[in-house]
Amino acid sequence: MDGLVKFQTADHDRSLIALFKSSPSSSSLSSSSSSCSSSSSWTNEKVSHEGEQSHVAENEAIQGMGFINGIVGHSGIMEWKDVEKRFDQVAWTGNGPEPVVTWSEFGFCIGMLSSPEFANELLRALRGHRDWKFNITKTELHKFWFRMKDDSINSRMRIFFDMCNRNMDGRITEMDIKQTILLTASTNKLSVTHEEAEDYAALFMESLDDKNKGYIEISQMESLFKASLTKPASSTRGTHDVHDSDLCEEQEPMSRAEVLFRTYWRRAWIVLVWLLACFVLFAWKFIQYRHRSGYEIMGYCLPTAKGAAETLKLNMALVLLPVCRNTITWLRKNHHVNSVIPFNDNINFHKLIAGGIVVGVILHGGTHLACDFPRISESDRSIFRQTIAAGFGYHQPTYMEILTTTEVATGIGMVVLMAIAFSLATKWPRRRSTVLPVSLRRVTGYNTFWYSHHLFVLVYALLIVHSMFLFLTDKLMEKTTWMYIAFPVLLYTGERVFRAIRSGSYEVDILKASLYPGKVLYLKMQKPEGFKYQSGMYIFLQCPQISYFEWHPFSLTSGPQDDYLSVHIRTLGDWSYQLYALFQEAVISGLQGCPKLYIDGPYGSASQDHVKYDILVLIGLGIGATPFISILKDVTKGVQTAQSDHSGLRECSLTKGPLKAYLYWITREQNSFDWFRDVMKEISNSTKKQSVVEMHNFLTSVYPEGDVRSALLSVIQALHHAKNGIDMVSRTPIHTHFARPNWFNIFSRLARKHGGAKIGVFYCGPSNLARELKKLCTKFSTKTTTRFVFHKENY
């Protein structure tokens, strides 16, 4: 293997310039493509003869220049009927016999509404003369459309050539290329300066103008695009490049039932035990009060309310356990405990128990208010005296008198406080969603969620008081609430005290602070003495200058072997905006007067389980890549240590760790690559002996490879990487793919390459993609012998 970090198109890129110089035929082009493509798509792997390879290369070039690839309507690829419908929407009667649209409406008609400048240049090329700004008839639009749909590469190449050839003389100069680069970059929301465009144009001309004529012709450009488009199939190609039928393997894959059992059995048994406990407690208390004297007054309302109350006691105890983070982090270290308890789902279980509390409160409180209390106040006096009068001092209370008792007042108080806390903890208020009215958005957000959640201190205090003043019983042994909650409350209180003491000794000095585009703050902090952690863990940060009470979690982007701690913080809420503003002032003043920071941790997370797998797939969206930076550093360092131990002929066994890691980082803005540029360069330059880490960047603001709006960028990107070893988009050695990843194709190649392996898929990002990835993990685990195990970060 030829480098710790494998670059998917590096070998191909290095051979591009040599191919152009020799004016290759399609046969030689395809042959070269085949020789340098170690990770070709499954479709290309099935081609066995050079003649067939040449035919496939030609077809790929034709499809790659499919201008219509990026012209998409509301229901998929546009057809003429869609174009005609758009034409009719904006057409008007001109001076001629048929309706027309203005030339500026051309982009709307063909589906390039988001790229009006590019659409105008396309129209100029189609009309082929200087005076091209006049109205378009439906007949002319029909001719243009089917010319763009023409599958012949000569026809499509002529259109693209004419777009670059601004003076229509059949020759493209360096200035023409520069102007097209600037237009293409603007269309794809890429930042390219005039100086960079000049360098790229010069590189483009250098590759083709071998006779120094000062211009290139269409035949030369055709050879260039054919060569660049015969590279290995990109992971952004169509979803049908790999079919389900291609996934069959010689070994027998697992059944869907087995995959689902392996995936969910730990969660299932925990949930089943919890449900069983709730059911048993409810039934026990229901039967007990079914035979009490109060049943004659209140009927089934009484045992129902008491049964629900018993489940509430249990859930009010359990709800604290999943947020005892230090305890969970400590328990994770025990292999046997970690193998049967799904610690990665602690927040989900916390939410599930909270849902159980809501159900219990509605059942318990609702039954009391709507059934028990009215029956008590309206019951027959003689029956009342014979049954439950002693519990009320032999006075039959009215409904309002019951509501003013200590037990009912404390109960209502708890319900109000819990309703506030639960409501503000839901997704929309916590994230200050735009779907909320403006008046509500002003009083919601993470800070509001954080403070409102501490209302539960009052809730537990009221719960103790409530449990001491129960109706219908004076027996202390039946007032069991304190027995349920004593241990969890003491454990949680102990954790908070421990965190306060520990964090007080973990004041950190800021070694470096950097401000990145997108309002991302990078902090490099002194590592406290004795602070040990594993890659994938996270810490809490507190800034007393903002708040003495708020702690916010952030993944560590430094490796366990580093002598410092680092985090990347994106400003997404009130607290992070204030922190960013404070450090912005400090950076301007040369880090004078940096705000004081305290840290608490480290804490375990789902990413910490990466050590269980030989193969890792790390998927991060935007700032979601942060937990995986530490893992990549750790994997790289582990390989170097293993190599050092092996070369030193040490007899000690090597520490088990991942043998291969794939990073897929998806971001929508080019300047996001600034966040981890130094880290990527550090990892890629760490060693040259073994291919272990494979990194893929995806920029979704750029149109897919093969779209006319990104075709020139793809070629120049390959040329630039071939010459300089640096990607022109990310400005790192890592190749940047255009548009969103095709996850089906990615999983297909991974399943084929690592047949029979167990691959850990770790994801950090929005829930929508998480559901898609989870389904793919199940699908490919059942269709192939490769097992994909999905993990999602939860904070």
Side-chain angles (χ1 to χ4, degrees):
M1 297 184 179
D2 59 349
L4 179 69
V5 182
K6 179 182 177 184
F7 308 115
Q8 218 181 20
T9 59
D11 293 338
H12 169 79
D13 293 345
R14 295 189 187 99
S15 63
L16 271 178
I17 297 177
L19 286 171
F20 306 149
K21 297 294 186 184
S22 61
S23 300
S25 66
S26 61
S27 177
S28 62
L29 283 171
S30 62
S31 177
S32 174
S33 171
S34 176
S35 65
C36 68
S37 175
S38 61
S39 59
S40 298
S41 69
W42 295 1
T43 304
N44 289 347
E45 287 178 348
K46 296 177 182 178
V47 180
S48 58
H49 301 291
E50 290 187 3
E52 292 174 344
Q53 288 177 331
S54 175
H55 180 67
V56 170
E58 183 75 14
N59 284 340
E60 281 193 350
I62 292 172
Q63 294 302 321
M65 285 304 297
F67 293 171
I68 226 67
N69 288 354
I71 305 176
V72 180
H74 295 292
S75 57
I77 302 300
M78 288 186 67
E79 299 295 342
W80 167 246
K81 62 180 180 180
D82 303 309
V83 178
E84 187 177 26
K85 183 178 180 180
R86 287 179 174 232
F87 179 91
D88 293 337
Q89 289 176 0
V90 295
W92 55 282
T93 303
N95 298 326
E98 58 178 316
V100 296
V101 296
T102 61
W103 62 270
S104 60
E105 299 283 1
F106 177 71
F108 169 76
C109 291
I110 66 171
M112 278 193 181
L113 187 61
S114 61
S115 313
E117 293 182 3
F118 202 95
N120 293 341
E121 290 299 314
L122 180 56
L123 177 61
R124 179 187 58 77
L126 289 166
R127 280 183 158 161
H129 49 80
R130 298 180 185 277
D131 185 20
W132 57 274
K133 294 185 177 181
F134 51 88
N135 295 336
I136 308 172
T137 65
K138 184 180 290 188
T139 302
E140 187 180 22
L141 182 62
H142 184 269
K143 181 178 69 174
F144 292 159
W145 179 258
F146 281 94
R147 186 179 168 193
M148 289 188 293
K149 290 280 286 184
D150 189 345
D151 283 340
S152 68
I153 192 166
N154 291 333
S155 174
R156 294 183 176 181
M157 184 56 64
R158 169 55 66 182
I159 297 174
F160 188 75
F161 186 86
D162 289 342
M163 288 183 65
C164 300
N165 183 23
R166 295 179 179 275
N167 58 7
M168 301 297 176
D169 61 353
R171 297 174 177 180
I172 295 179
T173 65
E174 187 172 322
M175 181 56 68
D176 291 331
I177 294 298
K178 175 188 173 181
Q179 292 176 338
T180 306
I181 290 172
L182 290 172
L183 172 63
T184 304
S186 175
T187 301
N188 289 277
K189 301 178 182 179
L190 292 182
S191 174
V192 175
T193 65
H194 282 269
E195 292 75 14
E196 289 173 332
E198 288 177 0
D199 293 339
Y200 299 151
L203 178 60
F204 190 91
M205 296 298 293
E206 176 188 343
S207 302
L208 293 181
D209 187 19
D210 53 345
K211 296 182 180 179
N212 296 321
K213 294 179 180 180
Y215 62 87
I216 59 174
E217 297 176 332
I218 189 170
S219 59
Q220 294 167 292
M221 181 174 279
E222 185 175 320
S223 297
L224 173 64
F225 276 90
K226 282 183 180 180
S228 66
L229 291 168
T230 52
K231 66 185 178 181
S234 167
S235 55
T236 58
R237 296 274 177 98
T239 57
H240 300 293
D241 291 351
V242 181
H243 301 273
D244 286 355
S245 59
D246 296 324
L247 305 180
C248 298
E249 310 233 358
E250 293 181 0
Q251 302 178 38
E252 185 70 23
M254 290 188 293
S255 65
R256 181 177 178 81
E258 183 179 357
V259 170
L260 293 176
F261 175 79
R262 286 172 176 255
T263 302
Y264 296 110
W265 74 268
R266 294 192 303 167
R267 304 176 197 175
W269 85 263
I270 289 288
V271 172
L272 286 175
V273 169
W274 172 68
L275 290 174
L276 182 62
C278 290
F279 176 79
V280 169
L281 288 174
F282 182 92
W284 168 60
K285 202 53 112 174
F286 185 94
I287 295 171
Q288 186 181 92
Y289 273 84
R290 170 65 179 80
H291 297 91
R292 295 284 180 94
S293 58
Y295 178 77
E296 296 183 32
I297 297 288
M298 292 169 275
Y300 283 105
C301 298
L302 175 63
T304 301
K306 291 299 183 179
E310 205 67 19
T311 65
L312 275 172
K313 296 175 188 178
L314 174 68
N315 288 329
M316 290 297 290
L318 293 179
V319 77
L320 293 175
L321 298 181
V323 290
C324 292
R325 299 176 188 271
N326 282 294
T327 302
I328 290 176
T329 301
W330 176 70
L331 289 174
R332 278 176 178 271
K333 299 177 183 178
N334 187 299
H335 173 73
H336 298 292
V337 176
N338 195 18
S339 63
V340 295
I341 298 180
F343 291 115
N344 295 337
D345 290 304
N346 63 316
I347 298 301
N348 291 331
F349 191 52
H350 177 73
K351 294 176 181 177
L352 178 64
I353 298 172
I357 291 175
V358 171
V359 173
V361 166
I362 293 173
L363 194 58
H364 174 70
T367 305
H368 270 328
L369 293 173
C371 184
D372 288 343
F373 299 162
R375 290 194 176 194
I376 292 174
S377 61
E378 297 172 3
S379 64
D380 182 88
R381 288 182 179 274
S382 61
I383 298 177
F384 176 80
R385 284 195 297 270
Q386 295 172 10
T387 53
I388 60 174
F392 292 90
Y394 295 99
H395 168 68
Q396 186 171 3
T398 64
Y399 189 84
M400 291 304 299
E401 286 177 335
I402 296 175
L403 293 182
T404 58
T405 59
T406 302
E407 46 269 62
V408 177
T410 54
I412 292 174
M414 283 190 292
V415 171
V416 172
L417 293 176
M418 285 193 287
I420 294 172
F422 284 170
S423 299
L424 294 174
T426 54
K427 181 179 179 180
W428 287 353
R430 183 163 48 89
R431 298 186 178 181
R432 192 172 284 177
S433 174
T434 55
V435 302
L436 295 174
V438 176
S439 57
L440 284 179
R441 288 208 299 271
R442 292 174 182 171
V443 295
T444 56
Y446 187 87
N447 287 351
T448 306
F449 152 73
W450 174 261
Y451 287 114
S452 67
H453 237 53
H454 286 78
L455 290 174
F456 275 92
V457 175
L458 295 177
V459 170
Y460 278 96
L462 290 174
L463 179 61
I464 295 296
V465 175
H466 181 77
S467 65
M468 292 294 105
F469 294 88
L470 294 180
F471 290 129
L472 309 180
T473 182
D474 292 323
K475 297 179 181 178
L476 184 62
M477 292 305 297
E478 290 190 4
K479 299 177 180 181
T480 57
T481 301
W482 66 273
M483 299 180 186
Y484 282 93
I485 67 173
F487 175 75
V489 167
L490 289 175
L491 178 63
Y492 183 76
T493 303
E495 283 227 358
R496 296 301 294 262
V497 172
F498 173 73
R499 288 175 59 179
I501 296 173
R502 181 176 62 179
S503 61
S505 63
Y506 276 176
E507 179 184 354
V508 292
D509 295 327
I510 306 300
L511 304 178
K512 180 181 178 181
S514 300
L515 305 175
Y516 290 132
K519 289 191 177 296
V520 170
L521 172 64
Y522 167 73
L523 295 178
K524 182 178 180 181
M525 301 168 287
Q526 182 182 19
K527 188 176 183 178
E529 184 177 353
F531 190 93
K532 296 181 180 180
Y533 64 99
Q534 299 176 20
S535 55
M537 285 186 164
Y538 65 97
I539 60 173
F540 280 86
L541 283 179
Q542 183 212 51
C543 180
Q545 195 167 336
I546 301 175
S547 171
Y548 283 98
F549 305 105
E550 292 182 46
W551 292 86
H552 295 261
F554 298 98
S555 297
L556 286 165
T557 52
S558 52
Q561 301 85 2
D562 294 331
D563 57 358
Y564 61 88
L565 301 177
S566 65
V567 292
H568 288 70
I569 303 172
R570 188 170 189 183
T571 53
L572 296 173
D574 302 340
W575 186 90
S576 55
Y577 271 107
Q578 295 178 60
L579 187 71
Y580 184 89
L582 290 174
F583 274 98
Q584 189 175 36
E585 295 177 5
V587 169
I588 293 174
S589 62
L591 290 184
Q592 297 296 321
C594 275
K596 184 184 297 184
L597 289 182
Y598 291 96
I599 66 171
D600 177 42
Y603 294 105
S605 69
S607 297
Q608 193 179 341
D609 288 340
H610 71 275
V611 295
K612 297 179 180 179
Y613 305 94
D614 291 332
I615 310 296
L616 302 179
V617 175
L618 312 173
I619 302 170
L621 267 64
I623 202 65
T626 50
F628 308 134
I629 300 301
S630 175
I631 293 176
L632 292 179
K633 286 184 175 181
D634 197 22
V635 170
T636 303
K637 189 68 176 179
V639 171
Q640 291 176 324
T641 302
Q643 290 174 346
S644 175
D645 290 346
H646 184 71
S647 61
L649 299 178
R650 297 183 182 181
E651 295 183 358
C652 60
S653 60
L654 303 180
T655 302
K656 178 176 171 56
L659 303 177
K660 182 76 174 180
Y662 299 88
L663 173 67
Y664 296 92
W665 182 27
I666 303 94
T667 184
R668 67 178 60 150
E669 297 176 353
Q670 182 188 12
N671 57 23
S672 301
F673 293 124
D674 293 349
W675 304 345
F676 307 118
R677 180 171 294 130
D678 293 340
V679 176
M680 289 187 173
K681 289 180 179 179
E682 174 189 341
I683 295 174
S684 62
N685 295 328
S686 58
T687 184
K688 301 292 182 182
K689 294 182 180 180
Q690 188 174 0
S691 178
V692 172
V693 177
E694 188 173 312
M695 294 187 282
H696 302 264
N697 295 333
F698 290 85
L699 185 59
T700 60
S701 69
V702 183
Y703 289 96
E705 296 174 5
D707 191 294
V708 65
R709 288 164 284 190
S710 62
L712 184 60
L713 288 176
S714 297
V715 174
I716 293 177
Q717 182 190 42
L719 292 172
H720 190 270
H721 198 286
K723 182 176 182 179
N724 303 304
I726 297 294
D727 183 76
M728 61 171 280
V729 178
S730 66
R731 295 180 175 86
T732 70
I734 314 304
H735 174 72
T736 300
H737 303 276
F738 296 158
R740 292 179 174 84
N742 184 316
W743 295 113
F744 187 90
N745 281 0
I746 289 173
F747 275 73
S748 299
R749 282 189 289 274
L750 290 170
R752 188 64 174 264
K753 185 175 182 179
H754 302 288
K758 184 179 179 182
I759 300 178
V761 179
F762 294 84
Y763 171 73
C764 185
S767 298
N768 291 340
L769 180 56
R771 287 189 286 269
E772 177 185 348
L773 294 173
K774 199 171 184 179
K775 290 179 181 178
L776 285 172
C777 286
T778 302
K779 181 183 183 69
F780 281 88
S781 294
T782 57
K783 295 287 185 178
T784 71
T785 58
T786 307
R787 186 188 170 203
F788 294 87
V789 184
F790 183 75
H791 302 267
K792 183 183 182 298
E793 287 291 340
N794 295 299
Y795 293 108

